[in-house]
Amino acid sequence: MLHCLIGHMNGAGNLMDFLDEPFPDVGTYEDFHTIDWLREKSRDTDRHRKITSKSKESMWELIKSLLDAWSGWVVMLLIGLLSGTLAGVIDLAVDWMTDLKEGVCLSAFWYSHEQCCWTSNETTFDDRDKCPQWQTWAELMTGHAEGGGAYVLNYFLYVLWALLFSFLAVSLVRVFAPYACGSGIPEIKTILSGFIIRGYLGKWTLLIKTVTLVLAVSSGLSLGKEGPLVHVACCCGNLFCSLFSKYSKNEGKRREVLSAAAAAGVSVAFGAPIGGVLFSLEEVSYYFPLKTLWRSFFAALVAAFTLRAINPFGNSRLVLFYVEYHTPWYMTTQLGKYPVLEVIAVTAITAVLAFPNPYTRRSTSELISELFNDCGALESSQLCDYVNNPNMSRPVDDIPDRPAGPGVYNALWQLALALVFKIVITIFTFGMKIPSGLFIPSMAVGAIAGRIVGIAVEQMAYHHHDWIIFKNWCRPGADCVTPGLYAMVGAAACLGGVTRMTVSLVVIMFELTGGLEYIVPLMAAAVTSKWVADAFGKEGIYESHIQLNGYPYLDVRDEFTHRTLATDVMRPRRNDPPLAVLTQDSTTVEDAEALIKDTDYSGFPVVVSRESERLIGFVQRRDLTLAIKTARQKQDGVVSSSMVYFTEDAQQLPASDPQPLKLRRILNLSPFTVTDHTPMETVVDIFRKLGLRQCLVTRSGRLLGIITKKDVLRHMAQMMNQDPESIMFN
Amino acid sequence: MLHCLIGHMNGAGNLMDFLDEPFPDVGTYEDFHTIDWLREKSRDTDRHRKITSKSKESMWELIKSLLDAWSGWVVMLLIGLLSGTLAGVIDLAVDWMTDLKEGVCLSAFWYSHEQCCWTSNETTFDDRDKCPQWQTWAELMTGHAEGGGAYVLNYFLYVLWALLFSFLAVSLVRVFAPYACGSGIPEIKTILSGFIIRGYLGKWTLLIKTVTLVLAVSSGLSLGKEGPLVHVACCCGNLFCSLFSKYSKNEGKRREVLSAAAAAGVSVAFGAPIGGVLFSLEEVSYYFPLKTLWRSFFAALVAAFTLRAINPFGNSRLVLFYVEYHTPWYMTTQLGKYPVLEVIAVTAITAVLAFPNPYTRRSTSELISELFNDCGALESSQLCDYVNNPNMSRPVDDIPDRPAGPGVYNALWQLALALVFKIVITIFTFGMKIPSGLFIPSMAVGAIAGRIVGIAVEQMAYHHHDWIIFKNWCRPGADCVTPGLYAMVGAAACLGGVTRMTVSLVVIMFELTGGLEYIVPLMAAAVTSKWVADAFGKEGIYESHIQLNGYPYLDVRDEFTHRTLATDVMRPRRNDPPLAVLTQDSTTVEDAEALIKDTDYSGFPVVVSRESERLIGFVQRRDLTLAIKTARQKQDGVVSSSMVYFTEDAQQLPASDPQPLKLRRILNLSPFTVTDHTPMETVVDIFRKLGLRQCLVTRSGRLLGIITKKDVLRHMAQMMNQDPESIMFN
């Protein structure tokens, strides 16, 4: 089931020099293991140096080296083009399929409602939504467009289509690509921090996620496409990595590309290229050098440009508002064991309850867009049913505060119901096994609440403009309160509380709305919601998700302030058997093989001798296994009793002794060490900043133990009174 | 001359426990030395732990701990308030003094030209700049407002005022605060990377920089206030750090505050809070954790808000456009030796040449604002003197391309002259000893060039709309080319080429202009100008400046790809005397004192014995000196022949021996080590990411040598074929 690209063709590093033919598996990382950033980085430098020195040899090598230098930008261009295209196609498909639930275009069945009536000549400007070519299912089947029977039939077919779409989505995910479910952002964060999850960004996941995303969004479930689009863009990034050995063979470089791809994903999801770069920086990326910043910027730009070119309506900003939910808490219900049934049930409830209320029936993006809008004179929305003062003849743009009409009060009730419905159904939609995002639904909840508050304040200001709070800034007959702004701020606050984004949130909001002048209230909302949410718990939704899934993610935000030392965390513990080590010149091939067989550590320290325990280097289990195997096959005279030498020069041995096995080349001569007195705070910092996989502990030059990333994570969980066993993988 | 705050009250760390009364100098860093980030961080954690454990003791301690937790936000609030206020005051003062060069307001001499005529009742809307209260000097002195004599008198007094202002500015800087010159950004970058420059952010610098900035900008020199405002904001940050021991006693925490202050500075300089945060992140900061991101955001918000509240005109966005130059290259001229004379000469030339040309006489911000503007129907600028088609009656906003009138051609010539003048005078203004910034003048150069190209393209499109390049997108009679947009893109490109900013540049540009829809051309300009400029050399203006001044700055952008190892860089070199070390239990007080006297290293490794050379720890020179001095004074029985013990338990000595001196408490038991085989690439990475000051080199547990930050910088310079001695300080 794992159709994966990550780590597939990982290069061989030092071993390459040692063996003539590289084995496909040499030096790769295993699934659910963590990469060593320093090692990846130094491997890339080696590669770079080779290319640079070769480039002086011939013209062809020079061209190759130039191509290599530009390959980063080429990959960014390709990612931008493909993710922009995919986002455009998803937009169009969702548009069409959402309308398909209500009716069909007679002139061309592949037109959405809007396209159908736009191409029709009989459409007037005032009633753009009505044209003879577009028929609801009831109209088509019974000939009646109005009446109770038509309403029931439309209702029934609406629910039926929704069920069909969601059934298809959940089945496709289950059968073909289980990794396509959810938004993928927590997993991408984990992958970017150096974890390997094979197949998570594979071609198959890309294909199935794109298709099921369209189905899931079209079914009208309370979920969205923005988060999943980040996953789709990262799949594109991974796909193009395989074109260049620079990226496909180096897990560190690959992650630089994926960081930029995440930026492109947000860029197309919201039409917010700068917001995308900041989202990647603030929210998902782990290692984000300035070079990646510039490349992300380029990828986001190309992606936004491509999407705009594809978008046939030209109103790219509003089209980008779409339903979006994300899976933050798993509610453990009985239903959870039957994912297909669960999806069907939630879809049925959503469709049945959403249809009667105009604010839940339409797509969430349309809802948000209406809530953000200010009531101009020409606005026909129910929300703008104010009592107009007939004596007034002011310019259209500057309408003073007016008393609310019956439509507004009606809308308020419907919005309140929609708010409750949205909050509740969201909780149940969260953990389902289909692609789902979170941005737009949280924004919708915030926007509804904000608009309700806005209208309330507006009416208070109108009816009580002598109250002290209004007196100073609101003269009667002036336009003091803009309920649309309250909705915008509410949306930002709600999204900020859920994800704990700040800067990227504000940038996305104003790229989305164009409301540059509202930057101060938006910033205030972002900071306040962060403070309030932090009072309940420091983790945003993605971190919670990572913790629930037990991914080995070393969060840069967690501050470690406990007084423990490296000696308290290292293995072996007090009563454990001693550390499994190799000696530099007194181990036999047999001993080494026994060590490999008896333990499952991913590497072994090499010391001078068991007595002095002075550290020489570190050897990877994989490299050692492979080296012994190869030597036994190809090198004559290497037998079980052969000595293994890690020293520079093997001693002169008597001729009777079997031929020795020299393994200095697979030895890492610069393993990372700390002393046993090093505070764990510093150790955590080193693991985070250098992206280590393990670290050896010494005291006055003597090897005492080892600390792995998993040990660090376990220790941190323990110190925060969490179950250390919740960190499952490493 | 060094009126400094940095490092003044640095805490004593371990030594605090050892000595009863802390000495004022214990554990501080010396001037022009580099801090050790890991040490600062662990000192802060110690402090934090103490407060947390104390907070459980009493209500008062709990309140104190809460205050401590919130002190970060309080400091941000204060920085925002003060830097916003200062920026507002500077704006108003510059406004008034710039107008003072031309005339005076009779009704109230402290009014600027604009304020004077705004308060006048006799001003009409069309001629806002003319009112009887405002009189030019010629008018006041001779009674004639027009005519050749008045022109010459005005010209003469204009130059005289300019000379007076610039003389005052350069004298104040020379006499009171030499650190107030330049923009300060390169130095702030260096300080943020961990270098100590005492007095650079002191109160005195703050005061003098604020006053001289007003004088320098008002004198009309080709320099600006945006860069210096960043320095001013950082001085504010440093000032408020001294209120809280959390920040004043920890150089690492102090730098977090300074990063946020830099963001507040850009925020008030351009009225661009988000751009400010990104500038701090992309351009100046070294260590920028997410917590600092949020705090910077808050400080920038408060600062922008304060400035807006102070600004009496309400048009805060355009007011923020002001002259801005920065000191990137020092031109070594004979004049350079006489800074006052140099300033006077350059001011005289600037004033004499700038007055006759309308585009150089006005303030650069006004120029940019005019160049960015599109020509509406009501525009009276010379740049908008187009030949109107009398038959047209279209809405005002949508004016088609028209042929240029004589005014436009005239303006083109003047702009071309202004372009040459600006470029040349900039080069000479660069290295002067007065506060000066770079943003706005580079933007002006770019905007002039962009506008000229824009008008050329517009006229080509009008006269040759059958050419292939115009054919497809420009119908005759349509508005195809907007010269103002070309000016905006040109400004962004020029500034981007100078500073190599990308994301922050685009955000600043659109916060400045509100032109969110032009994000794609702006992004394209930023990326292209970066590519082109990188082809000439990888360094932006701030990095070049840092290098010219020889600051020990480890740039995160420089990639180190050479194949050297730690053993090639460490000291002692092959023929050097052996490393100066202390032994854990065989050194006498006399020996230690001799070592301190004979060497000038800032610290000494402690080993088990000279024979085994196994590393125990590292002791700071300052701590050792102070500990011995104190012990000699206060501890009876400590004499020259006393043994110094770094071990946990001193051996039982015969009673006849002098009392031993136990110094384990000042020993750093977790010094950072690497093996001699570690690639320098990894070592550079470790120094950068962990902010180390020095690192010890070992082989199989044996101490071989030491690498300091200065050694790393020297080695990097050597590898890039630069003079390693150009790194002057450490």
Side-chain angles (χ1 to χ4, degrees), chain A residues 75-399:
Chain A
V75 168
M76 293 304 136
L77 180 71
L78 293 173
I79 290 172
L81 289 173
L82 184 59
S83 52
T85 308
L86 284 177
V89 169
I90 290 172
D91 278 354
L92 291 176
V94 165
D95 233 30
W96 176 67
M97 285 175 63
T98 303
D99 290 345
L100 196 65
K101 289 191 294 183
E102 296 185 358
V104 72
C105 187
L106 291 185
S107 54
F109 74 91
W110 59 89
Y111 275 175
S112 73
H113 190 165
E114 200 177 356
Q115 285 168 307
C116 188
C117 291
W118 270 29
T119 51
S120 159
N121 299 323
E122 295 157 59
T123 314
T124 59
F125 183 82
D126 283 341
D127 220 356
R128 259 187 289 187
D129 278 0
K130 287 195 181 145
C131 61
Q133 279 84 355
W134 180 261
Q135 298 213 330
T136 62
W137 293 112
E139 219 173 326
L140 195 72
M141 290 158 85
T142 66
H144 297 290
E146 308 283 327
Y151 183 84
V152 171
L153 188 58
N154 276 333
Y155 196 163
F156 176 72
L157 282 166
Y158 178 93
V159 174
L160 212 66
W161 277 111
L163 288 174
L164 176 66
F165 291 160
S166 66
F167 174 73
L168 268 176
V170 71
S171 309
L172 283 172
V173 167
R174 247 176 95 82
V175 177
F176 294 107
Y179 283 154
C181 73
S183 84
I185 293 181
E187 285 80 10
I188 287 167
K189 271 190 89 154
T190 313
I191 288 174
L192 287 177
S193 82
F195 196 56
I196 305 258
I197 309 179
R198 300 214 170 169
Y200 202 84
L201 301 175
K203 285 177 210 152
W204 206 239
T205 307
L206 173 60
L207 182 69
I208 295 298
K209 186 128 192 177
T210 309
V211 172
T212 53
L213 181 57
V214 172
L215 288 167
V217 174
S218 308
S219 75
L221 273 167
S222 187
L223 51 82
K225 71 171 175 30
E226 278 71 13
L229 267 179
V230 175
H231 186 179
V232 166
C234 284
C235 290
C236 297
N238 198 32
L239 185 69
F240 291 121
C241 276
S242 60
L243 295 183
F244 299 91
S245 64
K246 182 177 177 179
Y247 296 106
S248 62
K249 289 191 179 166
N250 191 304
E251 291 295 331
K253 297 295 281 180
R254 184 199 298 273
R255 275 159 181 75
E256 289 178 23
V257 172
L258 295 181
S259 285
V266 175
S267 167
V268 290
F270 291 105
I274 293 186
V277 174
L278 292 178
F279 178 81
S280 177
L281 168 69
E282 187 181 354
E283 196 55 48
V284 296
S285 289
Y286 190 82
Y287 171 62
F288 202 88
L290 274 176
K291 207 160 95 187
T292 307
L293 183 73
W294 299 323
R295 294 208 171 149
S296 306
F297 191 60
F298 180 68
L301 171 69
V302 174
F305 206 75
T306 309
L307 178 63
R308 198 161 291 196
I310 287 177
N311 191 301
F313 308 113
N315 54 345
S316 41
R317 191 168 288 147
L318 286 180
V319 161
L320 296 174
F321 261 129
Y322 245 115
V323 202
E324 161 91 4
Y325 258 138
H326 170 70
T327 56
W329 309 100
Y330 281 111
M331 302 280 292
T332 316
T333 58
Q334 287 301 315
L335 268 178
K337 293 178 193 159
Y338 310 99
V340 177
L341 190 63
E342 183 192 36
V343 171
I344 298 290
V346 174
T347 312
I349 294 167
T350 310
V352 169
L353 291 181
F355 190 86
N357 187 333
Y359 292 108
T360 50
R361 185 183 184 172
R362 75 187 68 182
S363 79
T364 317
S365 60
E366 283 173 46
L367 170 64
I368 294 176
S369 163
E370 180 173 341
L371 292 170
F372 281 10
N373 264 347
D374 203 12
C375 288
L378 295 170
E379 198 64 56
S380 63
S381 155
Q382 197 185 209
L383 270 172
C384 296
D385 177 29
Y386 286 92
V387 180
N388 278 310
N389 187 339
N391 301 328
M392 302 274 293
S393 62
R394 299 179 63 143
V396 171
D397 285 347
D398 183 25
I399 296 172

Side-chain angles (χ1 to χ4, degrees), chain A residues 38 41-46 48-50 70 73 253 273-274 277-278 281-283 287 290-291 293-294 297-298 300-301 304-305 308 317 500-503 506-507 510-517 519-524 526-527 530-531 534 555-557 559-564 608 612 614-616 648 664 669-679 681-682 685-686 688-690 698-702, chain B residues 38 41-46 48-50 70 73 253 273-274 277-278 281-283 287 290-291 293-294 297-298 300-301 304-305 308 317 500-503 506-507 510-517 519-524 526-527 530-531 534 555-557 559-564 608 612 614-616 648 664 669-679 681-682 685-686 688-690 698-702:
Chain A
L38 273 184
K41 199 168 175 188
S42 89
R43 280 180 49 213
D44 183 62
T45 317
D46 282 345
H48 187 76
R49 265 198 297 256
K50 255 180 222 157
W70 279 85
W73 294 102
K253 297 295 281 180
I274 293 186
V277 174
L278 292 178
L281 168 69
E282 187 181 354
E283 196 55 48
Y287 171 62
L290 274 176
K291 207 160 95 187
L293 183 73
W294 299 323
F297 191 60
F298 180 68
L301 171 69
F305 206 75
R308 198 161 291 196
R317 191 168 288 147
R500 312 291 160 86
M501 302 194 297
T502 52
V503 184
V506 174
V507 174
F510 74 59
E511 283 194 275
L512 206 58
T513 58
L516 205 63
E517 52 271 51
I519 194 165
V520 171
L522 282 177
M523 283 176 96
V527 170
K530 197 185 139 47
W531 282 346
D534 278 354
D555 197 345
V556 278
R557 269 170 269 196
E559 277 184 52
F560 186 86
T561 54
H562 301 279
R563 212 169 190 153
T564 45
V608 172
S612 83
R614 290 205 318 228
L615 183 68
I616 298 289
E648 220 150 340
R664 194 174 175 85
L669 286 165
S670 53
F672 222 84
T673 59
V674 294
T675 66
D676 59 338
H677 273 86
T678 310
E681 186 206 345
T682 308
D685 221 41
I686 294 171
R688 258 182 211 153
K689 289 193 179 150
L690 301 178
T698 61
R699 182 198 287 162
S700 26
R702 222 184 272 276
Chain B
L38 272 185
K41 199 168 175 189
S42 90
R43 279 180 50 213
D44 183 60
T45 316
D46 282 347
H48 187 76
R49 265 197 297 255
K50 256 181 220 156
W70 278 85
W73 294 102
K253 297 296 280 180
I274 292 185
V277 174
L278 291 178
L281 168 70
E282 187 183 351
E283 196 55 46
Y287 171 62
L290 274 175
K291 205 160 99 188
L293 182 74
W294 298 323
F297 191 61
F298 179 68
L301 170 70
F305 206 74
R308 197 161 291 197
R317 193 170 287 145
R500 312 291 160 85
M501 303 193 296
T502 52
V503 184
V506 174
V507 174
F510 73 61
E511 283 193 274
L512 206 57
T513 58
L516 205 63
E517 51 273 49
I519 193 165
V520 171
L522 282 175
M523 283 176 95
V527 170
K530 195 184 140 49
W531 282 347
D534 277 355
D555 196 343
V556 277
R557 269 170 269 194
E559 277 185 50
F560 186 84
T561 54
H562 300 279
R563 211 167 191 153
T564 45
V608 172
S612 83
R614 289 203 320 225
L615 182 70
I616 298 290
E648 220 149 341
R664 194 175 175 83
L669 287 165
S670 52
F672 222 84
T673 58
V674 293
T675 67
D676 58 338
H677 274 86
T678 311
E681 184 206 346
T682 306
D685 221 43
I686 293 171
R688 256 182 212 153
K689 289 192 180 151
L690 301 179
T698 61
R699 183 199 288 161
S700 23
R702 220 182 273 276

